[in-house]
Amino acid sequence: GESVGLHLPTLSVQEGDNSIINCAYSNSASDYFIWYKQESGKGPQFIIDIRSNMDKRQGQRVTVLLNKTVKHLSLQIAATQPGDSAVYFCAVEEGAQKLVFGQGTRLTINP
Amino acid sequence: KAGVTQTPRYLIKTRGQQVTLSCSPISGHRSVSWYQQTPGQGLQFLFEYFSETQRNKGNFPGRFSGRQFSNSRSEMNVSTLELGDSALYLCASSLNLGNQPQHFGDGTRLSIL
C-alpha cells in the first residue's frame, strides 16, 4: 500500500519569511494529493489539493508543487504569519476516499 | 454552511465497555470517512461510507464498526474497549467519491481507563 513520509517533523521560521514543507510518497500511480493544517484541539483543515495531471497549484498565500518523477510534494506558504503555526499533513488518496497521511510537520513562527 | 459536526467531543470509558460516536456531515455531502489519530500511529483510515454502504475499510479489528443513515449521518461503534483505543476519532465528509477534498470535524476524544 501507499506510504507517505515527511522530511522534517518540525520547522521553525521567522514571521514574514516563506515556509516550505516537504512530503514524499511511494506509489507512482497515486492520483490525488491534499494538504491539511491542524491546530491544537481541532480537526485537520483542508488547505489545498492537486491532481496528478498538474504540477503546481496556487491558493491564497499557498502553493503546492508536485514532482511525480521523484514522488515528491511540497507546500509553500508565503509571508508566514503567527496564525500559520500548526501541524501540517500531506495526504495521498489510495482508493476511493481512503487518505494515507504523513506524520506531520509542526510549523513554529518566530516573531 | 455548517461544517462536520461530531458528538460527543469528549468521552471517558473503561475497558470492556462499548461506545458509539456520531457524525453529521456537511449538508449535501454523501461520503463519510472515519479516521483514528494517535501520537504514535498518526492518522489512520478506519472506513468509509457512501449511500449507506461501506465502500472501503482500513486495517482495524472487527470491534470497530460503523454505519451510515439515509440522511448521510454516520455512527461508529467500538466494542470491548481496550486501553489502546484511546485516541481522537475524526470524521470527514466529501461531496462524492474520488478526487474530492475531505472536510474534517473536530473529533471525539476517547479516553479508556
Side-chain angles (χ1 to χ4, degrees):
Chain A
E2 177 73 80
S3 67
V4 179
L6 278 168
H7 294 250
L8 288 175
T10 61
L11 178 64
S12 184
V13 300
Q14 291 295 123
E15 183 178 348
D17 286 352
N18 296 336
S19 303
I20 299 176
I21 302 171
N22 296 302
C23 181
Y25 61 96
S26 64
N27 187 350
S28 57
S30 295
D31 185 46
Y32 182 57
F33 309 84
I34 310 178
W35 281 99
Y36 286 95
K37 170 187 180 183
Q38 188 174 26
E39 297 174 288
S40 181
K42 295 188 176 182
Q45 176 187 354
F46 170 79
I47 302 174
I48 192 166
D49 59 358
I50 189 167
R51 290 173 174 75
S52 60
N53 61 352
M54 305 172 70
D55 52 24
K56 179 179 179 179
R57 192 167 187 217
Q58 290 183 288
Q60 187 176 10
R61 286 200 306 118
V62 295
T63 300
V64 55
L65 298 177
L66 175 63
N67 185 330
K68 294 180 288 293
T69 302
V70 294
K71 292 180 282 187
H72 183 270
L73 190 68
S74 68
L75 177 71
Q76 300 178 2
I77 305 173
T80 312
Q81 304 169 355
D84 295 328
S85 292
V87 179
Y88 289 81
F89 294 95
C90 68
V92 181
E93 189 171 76
E94 180 187 69
Q97 304 311 96
K98 176 184 176 181
L99 293 178
V100 178
F101 284 83
Q103 288 298 305
T105 291
R106 180 173 297 280
L107 178 64
T108 302
I109 313 303
N110 300 316
Chain B
K1 183 186 270 192
V4 176
T5 303
Q6 292 188 244
T7 56
R9 287 297 312 278
Y10 303 93
L11 209 45
I12 299 175
K13 292 286 186 179
T14 56
R15 281 181 298 173
Q17 288 186 311
Q18 75 166 17
V19 67
T20 299
L21 312 181
S22 180
C23 172
S24 293
I26 294 171
S27 178
H29 284 198
R30 300 169 65 193
S31 171
V32 174
S33 300
W34 289 88
Y35 293 82
Q36 181 196 65
Q37 186 175 28
T38 60
Q41 299 298 317
L43 278 148
Q44 292 187 292
F45 173 80
L46 280 156
F47 30 65
E48 184 268 344
Y49 287 87
F50 183 85
S51 292
E52 301 178 65
T53 301
Q54 186 182 91
R55 306 269 176 162
N56 207 344
K57 191 177 191 303
N59 295 325
F60 280 82
R63 299 186 297 107
F64 292 81
S65 63
R67 59 177 176 169
Q68 186 181 35
F69 302 94
S70 58
N71 61 359
S72 294
R73 193 176 68 83
S74 178
E75 290 180 346
M76 70 164 280
N77 184 79
V78 188
S79 62
T80 319
L81 286 164
E82 300 177 359
L83 292 177
D85 297 333
S86 293
L88 180 66
Y89 290 89
L90 292 158
C91 169
S93 74
S94 60
L95 197 56
N96 281 305
L97 291 175
N99 288 358
Q100 299 270 335
Q102 295 181 33
H103 299 275
F104 284 81
D106 288 334
T108 294
R109 171 76 60 185
L110 176 62
S111 299
I112 312 301
L113 303 179

